Every structure is written in structure tokens, then in C-alpha cells.
């Protein structure tokens, strides 16, 4: 996430307010000032100034996504043009539930809730809803909301403009934009509630189940019923019925109002939160680790990081829950029985904890990095402790996936080789982030906290690499050499990195020390 506003940044808000003491700013002027300030903060953030090559790769990837979506629109446009049973607008409406569900899922990768950077502004003489409204407006007007137009606009041009006219095409385009904007608010609501309590996952599950209900509810349930249900909305577009746009405007307005209220409630709750004085409790000391000296002490620190702090603990248990869910799906269904999916989910389960927690390495420690730097090679010992700890944690996904082996779908040799590959090659890539991470990540604050993957394009590239490279390698090896030879190669590659972990960890430490003051400045600035 971006750096908090500094005094020089806040000048752009405070100075106009001071100059207008006798003539107060209007709400629109305040929103403009806040949007301008967020733009300046983004431009001056670590993620904008550094990682230029990584940002270029991200932009290049987005370009490929646009090209892919444009290419995907062609076969759908051809289907609409050749169909005699449905119009182009009806087909688009039938596609939209799937598109909105995919959009909701992808937003978890790169979009935060609008109120996560509110805290620095709360001391300014601003209306209490001004910051919330500004970030809601920015979440609606962001360029991210037009990504899906790379699919929708070519489809409309090829199948609607010449056949149904400009008015129908304009209504369909406006409706699509309103739906995506509403989806951004729906996402912000769900993410905020889920951050507070995982039981709120029942809300999106219920909504998307209701959206898919024509497939399995009613005496005529099925694909035809589903298509007929959503084709009705396409019919409104074909008839130029204003009800379609008005209904979407009402939905968007309702979601904005709901999101506005929820964001304000949760921000106020966190800002006014006070620690309750409780009776002194017995703290687990994990004395069995004392025999390992400094390594044992830092292992205790890793355990307490996951058990005593809200954000790492949530990420840890979410990872365990995801592993369990995937294992159950694989055992009781055949949807992932093909070779590509077997490789993907086998490797994914092992690297999941590393991808969610370890890729942020040193981010949590950034809150107290000063104390870790007081002793020579203390950071090197910490890196070794982390490597040992997360290598031991691989026993969890290994155990959770054993039933898949017992069911006969996977082989034990595959499981062992993928575990070794994760412990070696995968962790080697993830640990490289220790050199480049310099943003402190809140241990407990969530709504108004700073940090995470936002703006850190190197983390995004590493995340992409650890998911894409191993799967591509395993698939190629299986195609060329066969399963046993492929698993043996993956095992050997992993063991090479495991056996040489002291060498590459020391190399990491030396590179970190060269950037010590640069990284320290970043950690302190983003606390």
C-alpha cells in the first residue's frame, strides 16, 4: 500500500482549507483535493519510484490480458450473429453472471477496500464521510473497472452495432459499465466484512448460489431455464426499456450507500479501538526450543507471530482451510483428475502458505526491525529460522493430501517430489523478497492499515513465477520423460536447493546488508 501522507503531502489539503477559513470548501472541492492527494501519494510511493522493470512486466501482462479478452469476444460474437433463437443482448446477459463472478474473484488479487488508508486524514478538519466518499469514488472511477470492456466492447461492435443499431449498443454498454461499477462496491462490502469475520463468506456464497439457482431450482431447472431467465434482461435492452438502466442505477446507488456506511463503521471501530485490560495470562514459552539457542528463540518468535497477531493468524488458517477444501474436492470429484490440474493443485497446496505469508517476508518484522539489527548476523539467523519453520510447516499440506494418495488419484512419489521442490526451489524464489521488501505490514490493524502487495510489483512477479514456472516445468518433463522421470527431476532440483540453503541464505543476507539503510527507511516510513 502507498506511504502515509507526510507533512509535505498534507500541505495540499491543509493549505487550501486554511486559505478558505472564511469561505469553507464545498464537498466536491474536498473530494477533488483528496483525490489529488492520493494521486501524489501513489506517485511518491515506494512501488511507483522503484521496481520499474517489475511494473513494466505488470503492464505488459495487462496488455496480454486485454488482447486475450478481445480475442475471446470474437467466438461469442460469431455465436450471437449466427443464432436465430436469441439476440446479441440476450447472450451478453447470459454471460454476465459468470463474468461478474470472475471479476469478484480477480479483485482479491489487486484491490483493497477504499478505507484502508483513511487514518492519516482523520486528524484533518474534514467532514467525517469525506475520506470514505473519496475512496469510494476512486474505486468506481478506477481504470481497473474498464478491463472487462476489452471483451464487451468488441463483442458489441461485432454483433450489435450494425444489426441492432447505436441506441441498443449504447444501452448495452452503459448497462455493462454500471454492472461492473456495482460489482466493485459489492466486492468492497464483502471484503470488509470477511476481514472482520470469515463467517461472512456465507454472504457471497448465498448470492452466487441464488444467481445460479435457475440451473437447479424448479421443475424446468437446467441450462435452458438459466438462459431464459437472463435472456429476459437482454430483452429489456433490445426494446430500449429504460427500466434496465434505472434498475442498475438503483442497485449501484444502494450498494454505494451500503458500502459507505459499512466502511465508516469499521474505520471508526478501528480508530476508536482501545485495548481492554485483562488479567495476566500464562504465556507459552515453548521451552523445548531453548536447546537450539538463538535459532530456537527466533523459532519461538515465528510461532508467536502466527498465533498472537490477527493478520498473520488469519492468513495461516485461511491457507489451511483452502488446502483442506481443495483436497476434499479432488477426493470426491473428478473435475481435477487431468494431468495439468493434478500438477497445479499438487504444487499449489504446498506453496500456498509461502505465497500468502512468506512472500511478505520481513514485512511483519518491519514493525520492530530496529531491534533485530542490534546484533551481528541476527537477520541471517532469522532467515534460517524462517526457512526451518516453513519447511516443517510443509508437513501440513503433505498430511492433508495423503487421503488423495490413499484414494489412488495421486502417487506418494509425486507428493514427496513436489514437497521437496517447494522446500528447495520454490522457497529459494520466495526468500528473494527479503532483499526487496521494505514496507511494514500491520500485525493487527486491517481496515486503516498500510502494507500488503499494493504497489510492490516485485512481489506480484514472484507470485506469478511460483505458480506458473513449476507447473510448466512439470508438464514439460512429464510430456518428454514420463511421470516417474519428471517426479525424479523435480525431486533432485528441490534437494539441490535444500542442501545448499546455507549458501543462498548467506548470499541473501549480504545483499540485504548492502540495502540495510534503504530498507530501514522504508520500514520506518510505512509503519
Amino acid at each position: 500500500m502507498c506511504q502515509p501522507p507526510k507533512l509535505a503531502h498534507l500541505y495540499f489539503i491543509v493549505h487550501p482549507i486554511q486559505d478558505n477559513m472564511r469561505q469553507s470548501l464545498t464537498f466536491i472541492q474536498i473530494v477533488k483535493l483528496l483525490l489529488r492527494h492520493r494521486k501524489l501519494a501513489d506517485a511518491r510511493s515506494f512501488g511507483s519510484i522503484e521496481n520499474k522493470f517489475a511494473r513494466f512486466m505488470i503492464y505488459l501482462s495487462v496488455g496480454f490480458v486485454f488482447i486475450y479478452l478481445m480475442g475471446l469476444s470474437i467466438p461469442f460474437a460469431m455465436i450471437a450473429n449466427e443464432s436465430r433463437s436469441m439476440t446479441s443482448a440476450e447472450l451478453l446477459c447470459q454471460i454476465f453472471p459468470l463474468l461478474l463472478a470472475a471479476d469478484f474473484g480477480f479483485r482479491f488479487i489487486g484491490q483493497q477496500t477504499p478505507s484502508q488508508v483513511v487514518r492519516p486524514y482523520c486528524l484533518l478538519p474534514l467532514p467525517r464521510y469525506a475520506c470514505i466518499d473519496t475512496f469510494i469514488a476512486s474505486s468506481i472511477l478506477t481504470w481497473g473497472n474498464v478491463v472487462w470492456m476489452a471483451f464487451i466492447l468488441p463483442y458489441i461492435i461485432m454483433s450489435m452495432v450494425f444489426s441492432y443499431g447505436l441506441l441498443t449498443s449504447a444501452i448495452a454498454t452503459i448497462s455493462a459499465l454500471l454492472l461492473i461499477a456495482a460489482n466493485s462496491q459489492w466486492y468492497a462490502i464483502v471484503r470488509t466484512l470477511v476481514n472482520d469475520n470469515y463467517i461472512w463468506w456465507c454472504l457471497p456464497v448465498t448470492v452466487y448460489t441464488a444467481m445460479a439457482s435457475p440451473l437447479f431450482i424448479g421443475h424446468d431447472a437446467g441450462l435452458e431455464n438459466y438462459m431464459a431467465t437472463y435472456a429476459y434482461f437482454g430483452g429489456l435492452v433490445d426494446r430500449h426499456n429504460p427500466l434496465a438502466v434505472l434498475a442498475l442505477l438503483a442497485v449501484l446507488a444502494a450498494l454505494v450507500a451500503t458500502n459507505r456506511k459499512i466502511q465508516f463503521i469499521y474505520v471508526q471501530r478501528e480508530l476508536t479501538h482501545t485495548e481492554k485490560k485483562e488479567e495476566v495470562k500464562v504465556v507459552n514459552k515453548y521451552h523445548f526450543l531453548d536447546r537450539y539457542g538463538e535459532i530456537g528463540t527466533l523459532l519461538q518468535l515465528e510461532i508467536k507471530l502466527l498465533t498472537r497477531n490477527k493478520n498473520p493468524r488469519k492468513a495461516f488458517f485461511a491457507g489451511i482451510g483452502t488446502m483442506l477444501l481443495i483436497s476434499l474436492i479432488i477426493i470426491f470429484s473428478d473435475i481435477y483428475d487431468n494431468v495439468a490440474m493434478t500438477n497445479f493443485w499438487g504444487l499449489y497446496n504446498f506453496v500456498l502458505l509461502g505465497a500468502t505469508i512468506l512472500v511478505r517476508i520481513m514485512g511483519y518484522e518491519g514493525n520492530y526491525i530496529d531491534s533485530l539489527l542490534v546484533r551481528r548476523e541476527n537477520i541471517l539467523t532469522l532467515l534460517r529460522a524462517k526457512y526451518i519453520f516453513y519447511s516443517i510447516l510443509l508437513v501440513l499440506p503433505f498430511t492433508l493430501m495423503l487421503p488423495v494418495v490413499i484414494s489412488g488419484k495421486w502417487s506418494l512419489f509425486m507428493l514427496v517430489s513436489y514437497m521437496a521442490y517447494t522446500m528447495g526451489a520454490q522457497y529459494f524464489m520466495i526468500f528473494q523478497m527479503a532483499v526487496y521488501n521494505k514496507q511494514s505490514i500491520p500485525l493487527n490493524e486491517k481496515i486503516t492499515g498500510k502494507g500488503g502487495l499494493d504497489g510492490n510489483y516485485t512481489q506480484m512477479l514472484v507470485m506469478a513465477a511460483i505458480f506458473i514456472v513449476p507447473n510448466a516445468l512439470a508438464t514439460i518433463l512429464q510430456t518428454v520423460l514420463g511421470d516417474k522421470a519428471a517426479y525424479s527431476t523435480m525431486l533432485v532440483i528441490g534437494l539441490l536447493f535444500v542442501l545448499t540453503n546455507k549458501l543462498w541464505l548467506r548470499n541473501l543476507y549480504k545483499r540485504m546488508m548492502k540495502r540495510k539503510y534503504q530498507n530501514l527507511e522504508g520500514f520506518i516510513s510505512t509503519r
Side-chain angles (χ1 to χ4, degrees), residues 330 335-347 410 471:
I330 293 171
I335 189 172
Y336 296 132
D337 285 355
N338 61 74
V339 175
M341 287 293 99
T342 295
N343 289 332
F344 178 80
W345 291 118
L347 290 162
W410 292 358
N471 287 282

Side-chain angles (χ1 to χ4, degrees), residues 333-399:
S333 73
D334 57 359
I335 189 172
Y336 296 132
D337 285 355
N338 61 74
V339 175
M341 287 293 99
T342 295
N343 289 332
F344 178 80
W345 291 118
L347 290 162
Y348 179 87
N349 269 4
F350 278 117
V351 82
L352 182 58
L353 290 178
T356 55
I357 303 175
L358 199 54
V359 76
R360 303 165 184 260
I361 185 171
M362 304 309 298
Y364 293 121
E365 287 79 8
N367 295 284
Y368 48 85
I369 190 69
D370 320 63
S371 59
L372 294 173
L373 289 169
V374 298
R375 295 184 61 184
R376 182 178 176 84
E377 295 194 347
N378 206 22
I379 298 296
L380 176 59
T381 309
L382 175 65
L383 291 175
R384 288 175 177 167
K386 280 183 174 292
Y387 183 75
I388 293 170
F389 180 72
Y390 282 93
S391 295
I392 294 173
L393 279 185
L394 290 176
V395 174
L396 285 174
F398 183 86
T399 304

Side-chain angles (χ1 to χ4, degrees), residues 79-97:
I79 292 172
N81 290 335
E82 295 174 1
S83 176
R84 297 292 180 269
S85 60
M86 60 183 171
T87 66
S88 299
E90 289 174 342
L91 178 59
L92 183 61
C93 288
Q94 292 163 359
I95 297 171
F96 244 107

Side-chain angles (χ1 to χ4, degrees), residues 106-358:
F106 287 134
R107 288 180 186 273
F108 275 87
I109 300 174
Q111 181 180 331
Q112 300 292 316
T113 51
S115 59
Q116 285 181 310
V117 287
V118 165
R119 178 178 290 172
Y121 302 97
C122 293
L123 298 177
L124 298 177
L126 298 171
R128 62 176 187 166
Y129 275 108
C131 292
I132 301 295
D133 290 339
T134 299
F135 298 123
I136 288 178
S138 66
S139 70
I140 292 176
L141 300 175
T142 180
W143 286 103
N145 284 346
V146 301
V147 171
W148 290 106
M149 299 308 291
F151 170 83
I152 296 167
L153 280 179
Y155 173 86
I156 290 175
I157 292 171
M158 289 184 288
S159 66
M160 296 180 66
V161 171
F162 302 104
S163 302
Y164 298 93
L166 291 176
L167 182 58
T168 302
S169 303
I171 293 174
T173 303
I174 293 171
S175 300
L177 288 171
L178 290 174
L179 273 170
I180 294 172
N183 209 43
S184 71
Q185 300 307 294
W186 161 245
Y187 160 81
I189 292 169
V190 172
R191 177 152 186 166
T192 303
L193 295 174
V194 167
N195 286 341
D196 181 56
N197 195 319
Y198 284 131
I199 194 67
W200 283 106
W201 274 114
C202 296
L203 178 62
V205 170
T206 302
V207 169
Y208 289 115
T209 301
M211 289 173 62
S213 59
L215 288 171
F216 49 83
I217 293 179
H219 66 279
D220 56 348
L223 184 60
E224 291 185 2
N225 186 37
Y226 168 87
M227 296 177 69
T229 300
Y230 288 102
Y232 170 78
F233 300 101
L236 295 178
V237 175
D238 287 327
R239 295 191 296 272
H240 307 157
N241 192 324
L243 182 62
V245 175
L246 292 176
L248 289 176
L249 282 172
V251 170
L252 177 59
L255 287 172
V256 167
T258 304
N259 187 27
R260 185 174 185 258
K261 187 66 176 178
I262 289 176
Q263 299 296 338
F264 182 77
I265 290 172
Y266 276 86
V267 168
Q268 288 296 106
R269 180 187 300 179
E270 185 168 320
L271 292 176
T272 58
H273 174 72
T274 54
E275 295 291 338
K276 297 180 180 179
K277 292 184 178 180
E278 300 178 354
E279 296 181 2
V280 178
K281 297 181 179 179
V282 177
V283 179
N284 292 324
K285 295 292 185 180
Y286 307 105
H287 290 298
F288 67 93
L289 294 172
D290 291 342
R291 70 184 72 177
Y292 301 107
E294 190 175 356
I295 288 283
T297 301
L298 293 172
L299 282 172
Q300 293 182 45
L301 180 65
E302 287 299 312
I303 296 173
K304 290 179 180 178
L305 176 69
L306 293 181
T307 57
R308 297 178 61 182
N309 298 285
K310 183 178 179 181
N311 290 338
R313 184 172 63 244
K314 277 190 173 183
F316 176 74
F317 285 111
I320 298 300
T322 304
M323 292 177 199
L324 181 60
L325 178 62
I326 292 171
S327 299
L328 290 175
I329 291 174
I330 293 171
I331 292 172
F332 294 107
S333 73
D334 57 359
I335 189 172
Y336 296 132
D337 285 355
N338 61 74
V339 175
M341 287 293 99
T342 295
N343 289 332
F344 178 80
W345 291 118
L347 290 162
Y348 179 87
N349 269 4
F350 278 117
V351 82
L352 182 58
L353 290 178
T356 55
I357 303 175
L358 199 54

